[in-house]
């Protein structure tokens, strides 16, 4: 059964965060977009769902009367002080992806990664068609096509400009979480994080691949978005991150079926529970999360 709190993620912001993320972009940002694209903005609409940056859909009109739809991302929150490389990384990754037709990524149109315009880093991307789907009509088709997208992403050439992957650190003071029914499993997850990763390949990673970052028209994937954290590392990182999100929304069974599809597509049968355990240690909150607790316990039991 779908957890309504999971579905509402990004839609139930407090007043302060809503104002920062969904409020109208400042005049300086609007003027910058218009000067970069040589077009006049006609409509501005905040996009729901995201919680790490302010994202707006802008419609513009060129001097010739043509319409242009773009997405403006503004890095307005304090987390950027810990990851100042993020805006420049996204711009770099989008430039790399724009030469890869097999991966439907946004086309980069303009970037101010240093925030030279008004102190807030910004990028502008061409808008992609489609909608996020969490409740598909055909669940098996949906899982299979999500799994099929990963080998396409992982086949992108690894550039020297890419950052190197390392697992995100545990949330301070939250692992093991006080609400867990499986403290032993979280302790095993911490042990996995402290140890070396299993042998794997080094490929191009999305690093935040899950259904919330995939766009669909009918039963076809039309876009993969949010490439802020992309880097070079093991393909299992993208698999496990997607698995955690699937388990949270639809349960362990769906996460396992997604893994089976990916294994069938790639022929890789040696998926190690390390990847699941090291993903979850950075995803804990104060709120009890039974789905995450079950996911950790399942992975920890497979460690032997």
């Amino acid at each position: 059964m779908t957890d309504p709190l999971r579905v509402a993620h990004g839609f139930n912001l407090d007043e302060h965060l809503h104002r920062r993320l969904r409020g109208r972009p400042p005049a300086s940002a609007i003027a910058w977009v218009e000067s970069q694209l040589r077009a006049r903005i006609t409509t501005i609409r905040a996009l729901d769902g995201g919680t790490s940056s302010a994202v707006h859909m802008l419609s513009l009109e060129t001097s010739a009367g043509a319409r242009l739809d773009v997405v403006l991302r503004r890095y307005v929150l304090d987390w950027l002080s810990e990851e100042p490389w993020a805006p420049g990384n996204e711009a770099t990754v989008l430039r790399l992806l724009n030469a890869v037709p097999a991966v439907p990524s946004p086309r980069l149109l303009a970037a101010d990664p240093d925030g030279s315009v008004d102190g807030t880093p910004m990028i502008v991307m061409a808008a992609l068609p489609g909608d996020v789907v969490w409740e598909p009509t055909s669940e098996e088709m949906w899982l299979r096509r999500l799994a099929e997208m990963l080998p396409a992403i992982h086949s992108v050439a690894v550039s020297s400009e890419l950052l190197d992957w390392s697992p995100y650190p545990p949330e301070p003071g939250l692992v093991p979480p006080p609400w867990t029914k499986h403290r032993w499993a979280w302790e095993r997850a911490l042990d996995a994080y402290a140890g070396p990763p299993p042998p794997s390949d080094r490929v191009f990673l999305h690093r935040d691949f899950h259904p919330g970052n995939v766009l669909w028209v009918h039963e076809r994937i039309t876009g993969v978005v949010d490439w802020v954290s992309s880097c070079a590392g093991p393909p299992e990182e993208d698999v496990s991150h997607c698995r955690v999100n699937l388990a949270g929304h639809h349960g362990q069974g769906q996460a396992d079926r997604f893994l089976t599809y990916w294994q069938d597509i790639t022929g890789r049968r040696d998926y190690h529970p390390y990847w699941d355990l090291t993903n979850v240690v950075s995803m804990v909150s104060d709120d009890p999360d039974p789905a995450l607790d079950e996911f950790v316990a399942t992975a920890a039991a497979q460690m032997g």
Side-chain angles (χ1 to χ4, degrees):
M1 180 176 178
T2 300
D3 183 344
L5 294 179
R6 290 283 187 172
V7 174
H9 177 73
F11 293 83
N12 55 345
L13 305 177
D14 63 41
E15 182 179 352
H16 173 71
L17 196 55
H18 187 277
R19 186 166 56 251
R20 295 200 68 184
L21 296 183
R22 310 291 187 248
R24 183 180 176 88
S28 55
I30 293 172
W32 175 74
V33 173
E34 290 181 329
S35 67
Q36 292 291 306
L37 303 185
R38 299 181 181 180
R40 180 177 62 87
I41 294 175
T42 56
T43 62
I44 300 174
R45 176 171 60 91
L47 297 181
D48 288 323
T51 59
S52 64
S53 58
V55 184
H56 289 76
M57 177 76 75
L58 312 179
S59 291
L60 298 93
E61 186 176 293
T62 69
S63 58
R67 173 174 166 167
L68 177 63
D69 291 330
V70 305
V71 173
L72 168 66
R73 185 201 294 277
R74 298 168 49 247
Y75 294 84
V76 298
L77 299 185
D78 295 340
W79 66 264
L80 194 63
S81 63
E82 300 176 4
E83 300 180 11
W85 47 265
N89 187 62
E90 183 170 28
T92 295
V93 168
L94 289 179
R95 290 189 186 99
L96 294 173
L97 289 170
N98 289 167
V100 183
V103 179
S105 59
R107 182 165 55 92
L108 181 68
L109 300 176
D112 178 25
D114 300 322
S116 58
V117 172
D118 64 2
T120 300
M122 300 181 284
I123 68 168
V124 181
M125 305 162 278
L128 295 175
D131 298 295
V132 168
V133 174
W134 279 105
E135 304 291 337
T137 302
S138 171
E139 185 174 292
E140 297 310 312
M141 174 279 301
W142 181 71
L143 289 172
R144 183 176 66 253
R145 292 192 177 165
L146 285 171
E148 289 171 346
M149 181 52 60
L150 281 183
I153 293 171
H154 297 160
S155 67
V156 175
V158 175
S159 166
S160 60
E161 299 174 274
L162 291 176
L163 302 171
D164 284 322
W165 170 86
S166 62
Y168 291 127
E171 289 292 327
L174 279 179
V175 184
W179 43 259
T180 182
K181 295 181 179 179
H182 308 289
R183 184 179 180 86
W184 64 273
W186 289 96
E187 290 173 346
R188 189 160 293 183
L190 287 174
D191 289 342
Y193 171 81
S200 187
D201 298 328
R202 184 173 184 267
V203 302
F204 186 101
L205 295 181
H206 183 283
R207 191 66 200 271
D208 193 17
F209 185 81
H210 62 80
N213 284 330
V214 179
L215 303 178
W216 302 75
V217 172
H218 302 303
E219 296 184 346
R220 180 173 62 90
I221 293 177
T222 54
V224 181
V225 299
D226 203 357
W227 299 87
V228 176
S229 302
S230 295
C231 59
E236 292 88 351
E237 164 63 27
D238 277 343
V239 177
S240 61
H241 190 81
C242 191
R243 275 170 51 76
V244 176
N245 282 271
L246 290 171
H249 281 263
H250 294 290
Q252 185 73 36
Q254 191 182 79
D256 291 342
R257 293 201 303 280
F258 169 77
L259 174 60
T260 297
Y261 278 124
W262 179 77
Q263 290 178 317
D264 289 345
I265 292 164
T266 61
R268 302 179 71 115
R269 300 294 176 183
D270 55 349
Y271 185 82
H272 197 284
Y274 165 93
W275 307 109
D276 292 343
L277 293 173
T278 52
N279 240 291
V280 298
V281 295
S282 66
M283 302 174 73
V284 186
S285 72
D286 291 319
D287 298 323
D289 191 335
L292 192 64
D293 215 24
E294 178 190 354
F295 186 82
V296 175
T298 301
Q302 293 170 352
M303 286 287 284

